[in-house]
Amino acid sequence: MLLAIAGGAKLHEHLLTGRISVTAASGTRIPYAKLQRLEGAGLVVRDTGHPVHAGQPVALTDAGRAALFAARRAPTAQRPQTTAPSGAWPSTPTPRR
């Protein structure tokens, strides 16, 4: 979600229904409730200088960029070693004596 917002996002309000959602530049839609949670955590901020019905820009804060960077730099889990089924030849190299 933070990655989608990092690429550019706007908060929109539908004039007829009153529904509010964030639309990222990638086309991803983020529900308003999730935006509120991200704002509460201090990860995103919106530009209140623009009206909601025209599209308020939403951007990552420094804390949001740090969280995104930390998530992308986290060590990945090692792939489990695959074992050959029993009877497969050769399952492991045999040591020479």
Side-chain angles (χ1 to χ4, degrees), residues 27-74:
T28 304
R29 289 199 183 267
I30 301 167
Y32 185 61
K34 290 196 180 206
L35 175 70
Q36 288 177 317
R37 280 187 245 136
L38 292 172
E39 278 184 312
L43 300 175
V44 297
V45 65
R46 52 184 153 152
D47 182 3
T48 56
H50 292 80
V52 177
H53 64 272
Q56 278 184 349
V58 177
L60 295 178
T61 61
D62 290 337
R65 280 189 287 280
L68 181 60
F69 181 73
R72 294 187 77 186
R73 300 293 279 165

Side-chain angles (χ1 to χ4, degrees), residues 64-93:
R65 280 189 287 280
L68 181 60
F69 181 73
R72 294 187 77 186
R73 300 293 279 165
T76 58
Q78 295 291 328
R79 280 184 34 188
Q81 291 287 336
T82 57
T83 57
S86 62
W89 183 84
S91 59
T92 57

